[in-house]
Amino acid sequence: MINRRHLLAAGTLVALALRLPVPALAADEPIRVVASFSILGDMVQQVGGDRVRVTTLVGPDGDAHVWQPAPADARTVADADLVVMNGLGFEGWMDRLVQASGYDGPVAVATTGIVPRQMAEAEEGEEDHDHDHHHGGTDPHAWQSLTNARIYVHNVLEALIAADSDDRPVFEANAAAYLKKIDALDARIRAEIASVPADRRKVVTSHDAFGYFAAAYGVGFLAPVGVSTEAEASAGDVAKLIDQIRAEKIPAVFMENISDPRLLDRIASETDAKIGGTLYSDALSPAGGPAATYLDMMDYNVRTLVAALRT
Ligand code: ZN
C-alpha cells in the first residue's frame, strides 16, 4: 500500500535526482523572525523555542545606537515572517531598513505598553521647564528592569501567535515558563541589592543605559553621556562628573561591553572610585560569555555591581 508519506519520499528522491527544489512542508517550518538586537533576539528565542528561527541584526557586544545596516541586512529583513524591535527610539535605522528591504509583513514593537522614562536633564528647581528644553529625550533601555521584561514577553508572545496561530500552545507554555524564571530572578536581584548599604548604592557607567534598572532596584547611576552613545562627553561634563564622584564618594565605575573603556579609566584614575568590572548594557555577550542570554545578563550585572559595592 502506498500512503502519502511514501509518495512524498518518492517525490523528494525524484527532485533530488533532477536537482529540482525539494518542496517545503510549509506547516512544519519554523517561522523566520528578525529581531533588531541581541537581547530581544534571546527573548524571542525563549518564547518561540523550536518553532522560530531567529536572526539578530545588531549582534552580541554590538551598539544599536550607532549601528548601520549592510545590504545583507535588507535581504534578511525581506525574507522574514515577523520583525521584532525595541522601539522608544532605540533603532533609529529600522524604518529605513524595512522600507529599503521591501518587507511588508508585521513589525512588532516589544516595548508597547511600557511607560517610557523621560531623560530630564533639568537640575533641581528646573522641573517646571518646558519638555523641549530637555536634551535627553526618551530612554529606550526598558529591558533593564525585569518588570518591563514581562511586558516584552507578552508583546513577543502576541506577535508570535499572530504570525503562527497553530503553535499558540507551544508559545504560551514557553512564555509561562520564561515568566516564572523572570519573577524568580527579579526577587533574587532585590535581595542582592538589599545586601548593599544604601549609601553605597551609586555607580558610574559609560552611557545612561540603566535608568530603568535604577528606578526598579534603587541603585543610582551616573554617566558622562546621555541615553545614546552617539553623543560624546564634553570636557565640562567629565569635569563635573569627577567632582560629583568625589563629593558623593561614589565607590565604583563600571565599563560597558558596548563602549570604549578609556574615558571611564581616566575618570577612575582621577577619583577614589575603583573599576568595578564590565556591565552588559545594550547587548549580550557572545555565546560562551558570561551574559549570553538576557537572564544571564541581568544576573551577571547584579553580581558584578554587588561584588564591587559591598566591599
Ligand atoms: Zn544605550
Side-chain angles (χ1 to χ4, degrees), residues 63-65 90 139-141 143 207-210 226-229 256 258-259 281-282:
D63 182 352
H65 296 292
F90 188 54
D139 181 353
H141 307 88
W143 61 84
H207 86 297
D208 231 326
F210 295 92
V227 290
S228 174
T229 55
E256 283 174 38
I258 64 160
S259 297
S281 51
D282 296 16

PDB file of all heavy atoms in Angstrom, residues 63-65 90 139-141 143 207-210 226-229 256 258-259 281-282, ligand 1:
ATOM      1  N   ASP A  63      26.516  47.819  19.248  1.00  0.00           N
ATOM      2  CA  ASP A  63      25.898  49.056  19.730  1.00  0.00           C
ATOM      3  C   ASP A  63      24.818  49.502  18.748  1.00  0.00           C
ATOM      4  O   ASP A  63      25.115  50.041  17.683  1.00  0.00           O
ATOM      5  CB  ASP A  63      26.978  50.136  19.877  1.00  0.00           C
ATOM      6  CG  ASP A  63      26.406  51.445  20.433  1.00  0.00           C
ATOM      7  OD1 ASP A  63      25.169  51.572  20.557  1.00  0.00           O
ATOM      8  OD2 ASP A  63      27.215  52.347  20.746  1.00  0.00           O
ATOM      9  N   ALA A  64      23.553  49.267  19.114  1.00  0.00           N
ATOM     10  CA  ALA A  64      22.434  49.586  18.212  1.00  0.00           C
ATOM     11  C   ALA A  64      22.285  51.091  17.976  1.00  0.00           C
ATOM     12  O   ALA A  64      21.728  51.505  16.962  1.00  0.00           O
ATOM     13  CB  ALA A  64      21.126  49.025  18.774  1.00  0.00           C
ATOM     14  N   HIS A  65      22.791  51.924  18.908  1.00  0.00           N
ATOM     15  CA  HIS A  65      22.652  53.381  18.742  1.00  0.00           C
ATOM     16  C   HIS A  65      23.355  53.861  17.477  1.00  0.00           C
ATOM     17  O   HIS A  65      22.906  54.804  16.828  1.00  0.00           O
ATOM     18  CB  HIS A  65      23.260  54.128  19.933  1.00  0.00           C
ATOM     19  CG  HIS A  65      22.579  53.872  21.238  1.00  0.00           C
ATOM     20  ND1 HIS A  65      21.303  54.302  21.518  1.00  0.00           N
ATOM     21  CD2 HIS A  65      23.012  53.243  22.358  1.00  0.00           C
ATOM     22  CE1 HIS A  65      20.985  53.954  22.754  1.00  0.00           C
ATOM     23  NE2 HIS A  65      21.997  53.310  23.276  1.00  0.00           N
ATOM     24  N   PHE A  90      15.100  53.481  19.982  1.00  0.00           N
ATOM     25  CA  PHE A  90      16.375  52.760  20.091  1.00  0.00           C
ATOM     26  C   PHE A  90      16.966  52.470  18.712  1.00  0.00           C
ATOM     27  O   PHE A  90      18.172  52.631  18.500  1.00  0.00           O
ATOM     28  CB  PHE A  90      16.149  51.454  20.862  1.00  0.00           C
ATOM     29  CG  PHE A  90      17.400  50.705  21.206  1.00  0.00           C
ATOM     30  CD1 PHE A  90      18.449  51.326  21.883  1.00  0.00           C
ATOM     31  CD2 PHE A  90      17.539  49.361  20.898  1.00  0.00           C
ATOM     32  CE1 PHE A  90      19.601  50.630  22.226  1.00  0.00           C
ATOM     33  CE2 PHE A  90      18.681  48.652  21.236  1.00  0.00           C
ATOM     34  CZ  PHE A  90      19.713  49.290  21.906  1.00  0.00           C
ATOM     35  N   ASP A 139      14.094  57.465  27.100  1.00  0.00           N
ATOM     36  CA  ASP A 139      15.103  56.444  27.405  1.00  0.00           C
ATOM     37  C   ASP A 139      14.626  55.101  26.839  1.00  0.00           C
ATOM     38  O   ASP A 139      13.610  54.570  27.283  1.00  0.00           O
ATOM     39  CB  ASP A 139      15.277  56.376  28.931  1.00  0.00           C
ATOM     40  CG  ASP A 139      16.323  55.365  29.356  1.00  0.00           C
ATOM     41  OD1 ASP A 139      16.816  54.617  28.489  1.00  0.00           O
ATOM     42  OD2 ASP A 139      16.637  55.328  30.558  1.00  0.00           O
ATOM     43  N   PRO A 140      15.364  54.536  25.880  1.00  0.00           N
ATOM     44  CA  PRO A 140      14.900  53.284  25.257  1.00  0.00           C
ATOM     45  C   PRO A 140      15.259  52.017  26.022  1.00  0.00           C
ATOM     46  O   PRO A 140      14.779  50.941  25.677  1.00  0.00           O
ATOM     47  CB  PRO A 140      15.627  53.290  23.902  1.00  0.00           C
ATOM     48  CG  PRO A 140      16.906  54.015  24.167  1.00  0.00           C
ATOM     49  CD  PRO A 140      16.587  55.058  25.229  1.00  0.00           C
ATOM     50  N   HIS A 141      16.099  52.095  27.083  1.00  0.00           N
ATOM     51  CA  HIS A 141      16.689  50.885  27.687  1.00  0.00           C
ATOM     52  C   HIS A 141      15.737  50.185  28.664  1.00  0.00           C
ATOM     53  O   HIS A 141      16.143  49.793  29.763  1.00  0.00           O
ATOM     54  CB  HIS A 141      17.989  51.248  28.401  1.00  0.00           C
ATOM     55  CG  HIS A 141      18.973  52.000  27.556  1.00  0.00           C
ATOM     56  ND1 HIS A 141      18.973  53.370  27.455  1.00  0.00           N
ATOM     57  CD2 HIS A 141      19.967  51.567  26.756  1.00  0.00           C
ATOM     58  CE1 HIS A 141      19.947  53.758  26.631  1.00  0.00           C
ATOM     59  NE2 HIS A 141      20.556  52.687  26.190  1.00  0.00           N
ATOM     60  N   TRP A 143      14.497  47.281  28.846  1.00  0.00           N
ATOM     61  CA  TRP A 143      14.774  45.879  29.220  1.00  0.00           C
ATOM     62  C   TRP A 143      15.581  45.774  30.506  1.00  0.00           C
ATOM     63  O   TRP A 143      15.727  44.688  31.056  1.00  0.00           O
ATOM     64  CB  TRP A 143      15.534  45.184  28.075  1.00  0.00           C
ATOM     65  CG  TRP A 143      16.866  45.830  27.774  1.00  0.00           C
ATOM     66  CD1 TRP A 143      18.050  45.600  28.419  1.00  0.00           C
ATOM     67  CD2 TRP A 143      17.137  46.825  26.783  1.00  0.00           C
ATOM     68  NE1 TRP A 143      19.032  46.394  27.887  1.00  0.00           N
ATOM     69  CE2 TRP A 143      18.506  47.158  26.878  1.00  0.00           C
ATOM     70  CE3 TRP A 143      16.339  47.473  25.818  1.00  0.00           C
ATOM     71  CZ2 TRP A 143      19.113  48.112  26.052  1.00  0.00           C
ATOM     72  CZ3 TRP A 143      16.944  48.418  24.998  1.00  0.00           C
ATOM     73  CH2 TRP A 143      18.312  48.729  25.120  1.00  0.00           C
ATOM     74  N   HIS A 207      27.431  55.202  29.452  1.00  0.00           N
ATOM     75  CA  HIS A 207      26.291  55.990  28.966  1.00  0.00           C
ATOM     76  C   HIS A 207      25.060  55.653  29.797  1.00  0.00           C
ATOM     77  O   HIS A 207      25.057  54.708  30.566  1.00  0.00           O
ATOM     78  CB  HIS A 207      26.088  55.818  27.455  1.00  0.00           C
ATOM     79  CG  HIS A 207      25.264  54.644  27.022  1.00  0.00           C
ATOM     80  ND1 HIS A 207      25.632  53.344  27.257  1.00  0.00           N
ATOM     81  CD2 HIS A 207      24.097  54.584  26.340  1.00  0.00           C
ATOM     82  CE1 HIS A 207      24.720  52.530  26.737  1.00  0.00           C
ATOM     83  NE2 HIS A 207      23.776  53.250  26.175  1.00  0.00           N
ATOM     84  N   ASP A 208      24.032  56.471  29.650  1.00  0.00           N
ATOM     85  CA  ASP A 208      22.894  56.420  30.559  1.00  0.00           C
ATOM     86  C   ASP A 208      21.951  55.286  30.200  1.00  0.00           C
ATOM     87  O   ASP A 208      20.842  55.505  29.738  1.00  0.00           O
ATOM     88  CB  ASP A 208      22.153  57.765  30.490  1.00  0.00           C
ATOM     89  CG  ASP A 208      21.931  58.332  31.870  1.00  0.00           C
ATOM     90  OD1 ASP A 208      21.725  57.536  32.797  1.00  0.00           O
ATOM     91  OD2 ASP A 208      21.964  59.563  32.012  1.00  0.00           O
ATOM     92  N   ALA A 209      22.376  54.053  30.416  1.00  0.00           N
ATOM     93  CA  ALA A 209      21.604  52.895  29.968  1.00  0.00           C
ATOM     94  C   ALA A 209      20.840  52.218  31.102  1.00  0.00           C
ATOM     95  O   ALA A 209      20.098  51.274  30.866  1.00  0.00           O
ATOM     96  CB  ALA A 209      22.535  51.872  29.317  1.00  0.00           C
ATOM     97  N   PHE A 210      21.027  52.695  32.336  1.00  0.00           N
ATOM     98  CA  PHE A 210      20.497  51.947  33.482  1.00  0.00           C
ATOM     99  C   PHE A 210      19.420  52.708  34.264  1.00  0.00           C
ATOM    100  O   PHE A 210      19.222  52.466  35.444  1.00  0.00           O
ATOM    101  CB  PHE A 210      21.647  51.529  34.400  1.00  0.00           C
ATOM    102  CG  PHE A 210      22.589  50.544  33.743  1.00  0.00           C
ATOM    103  CD1 PHE A 210      23.715  50.981  33.064  1.00  0.00           C
ATOM    104  CD2 PHE A 210      22.319  49.187  33.761  1.00  0.00           C
ATOM    105  CE1 PHE A 210      24.575  50.086  32.439  1.00  0.00           C
ATOM    106  CE2 PHE A 210      23.165  48.276  33.140  1.00  0.00           C
ATOM    107  CZ  PHE A 210      24.295  48.719  32.475  1.00  0.00           C
ATOM    108  N   GLY A 226      24.589  60.741  27.571  1.00  0.00           N
ATOM    109  CA  GLY A 226      23.164  60.502  27.765  1.00  0.00           C
ATOM    110  C   GLY A 226      22.709  59.129  27.327  1.00  0.00           C
ATOM    111  O   GLY A 226      23.488  58.177  27.324  1.00  0.00           O
ATOM    112  N   VAL A 227      21.437  59.040  26.942  1.00  0.00           N
ATOM    113  CA  VAL A 227      20.834  57.737  26.643  1.00  0.00           C
ATOM    114  C   VAL A 227      21.287  57.143  25.313  1.00  0.00           C
ATOM    115  O   VAL A 227      21.005  55.996  25.022  1.00  0.00           O
ATOM    116  CB  VAL A 227      19.285  57.791  26.659  1.00  0.00           C
ATOM    117  CG1 VAL A 227      18.780  57.980  28.068  1.00  0.00           C
ATOM    118  CG2 VAL A 227      18.756  58.856  25.730  1.00  0.00           C
ATOM    119  N   SER A 228      21.986  57.924  24.500  1.00  0.00           N
ATOM    120  CA  SER A 228      22.552  57.362  23.281  1.00  0.00           C
ATOM    121  C   SER A 228      24.058  57.487  23.322  1.00  0.00           C
ATOM    122  O   SER A 228      24.597  58.458  23.837  1.00  0.00           O
ATOM    123  CB  SER A 228      22.025  58.094  22.052  1.00  0.00           C
ATOM    124  OG  SER A 228      22.711  57.621  20.903  1.00  0.00           O
ATOM    125  N   THR A 229      24.751  56.491  22.770  1.00  0.00           N
ATOM    126  CA  THR A 229      26.211  56.546  22.703  1.00  0.00           C
ATOM    127  C   THR A 229      26.681  57.446  21.558  1.00  0.00           C
ATOM    128  O   THR A 229      27.877  57.651  21.384  1.00  0.00           O
ATOM    129  CB  THR A 229      26.798  55.145  22.476  1.00  0.00           C
ATOM    130  OG1 THR A 229      26.194  54.590  21.295  1.00  0.00           O
ATOM    131  CG2 THR A 229      26.528  54.243  23.657  1.00  0.00           C
ATOM    132  N   GLU A 256      31.273  49.319  30.047  1.00  0.00           N
ATOM    133  CA  GLU A 256      30.153  48.644  29.373  1.00  0.00           C
ATOM    134  C   GLU A 256      30.707  47.828  28.219  1.00  0.00           C
ATOM    135  O   GLU A 256      31.658  48.257  27.566  1.00  0.00           O
ATOM    136  CB  GLU A 256      29.165  49.673  28.816  1.00  0.00           C
ATOM    137  CG  GLU A 256      28.259  50.287  29.857  1.00  0.00           C
ATOM    138  CD  GLU A 256      27.428  51.397  29.243  1.00  0.00           C
ATOM    139  OE1 GLU A 256      26.995  51.248  28.082  1.00  0.00           O
ATOM    140  OE2 GLU A 256      27.238  52.415  29.916  1.00  0.00           O
ATOM    141  N   ILE A 258      29.608  47.541  25.335  1.00  0.00           N
ATOM    142  CA  ILE A 258      29.480  48.155  24.009  1.00  0.00           C
ATOM    143  C   ILE A 258      30.295  49.449  23.881  1.00  0.00           C
ATOM    144  O   ILE A 258      30.292  50.076  22.839  1.00  0.00           O
ATOM    145  CB  ILE A 258      28.003  48.466  23.655  1.00  0.00           C
ATOM    146  CG1 ILE A 258      27.420  49.506  24.613  1.00  0.00           C
ATOM    147  CG2 ILE A 258      27.176  47.195  23.642  1.00  0.00           C
ATOM    148  CD1 ILE A 258      26.200  50.202  24.046  1.00  0.00           C
ATOM    149  N   SER A 259      30.970  49.879  24.943  1.00  0.00           N
ATOM    150  CA  SER A 259      31.610  51.202  24.906  1.00  0.00           C
ATOM    151  C   SER A 259      33.117  51.120  25.115  1.00  0.00           C
ATOM    152  O   SER A 259      33.623  50.230  25.796  1.00  0.00           O
ATOM    153  CB  SER A 259      31.011  52.111  25.984  1.00  0.00           C
ATOM    154  OG  SER A 259      29.648  52.325  25.736  1.00  0.00           O
ATOM    155  N   SER A 281      25.075  46.415  28.907  1.00  0.00           N
ATOM    156  CA  SER A 281      24.014  47.409  28.882  1.00  0.00           C
ATOM    157  C   SER A 281      23.029  47.189  27.745  1.00  0.00           C
ATOM    158  O   SER A 281      21.842  46.977  27.972  1.00  0.00           O
ATOM    159  CB  SER A 281      24.625  48.805  28.782  1.00  0.00           C
ATOM    160  OG  SER A 281      25.558  48.859  27.703  1.00  0.00           O
ATOM    161  N   ASP A 282      23.523  47.209  26.505  1.00  0.00           N
ATOM    162  CA  ASP A 282      22.641  47.217  25.330  1.00  0.00           C
ATOM    163  C   ASP A 282      22.802  45.970  24.462  1.00  0.00           C
ATOM    164  O   ASP A 282      22.215  45.902  23.382  1.00  0.00           O
ATOM    165  CB  ASP A 282      22.944  48.433  24.438  1.00  0.00           C
ATOM    166  CG  ASP A 282      22.646  49.750  25.126  1.00  0.00           C
ATOM    167  OD1 ASP A 282      22.492  49.775  26.361  1.00  0.00           O
ATOM    168  OD2 ASP A 282      22.571  50.773  24.418  1.00  0.00           O
TER     169      ASP A 282
HETATM  170 ZN    ZN B   1      22.223  52.523  25.088  1.00  0.00          ZN
END
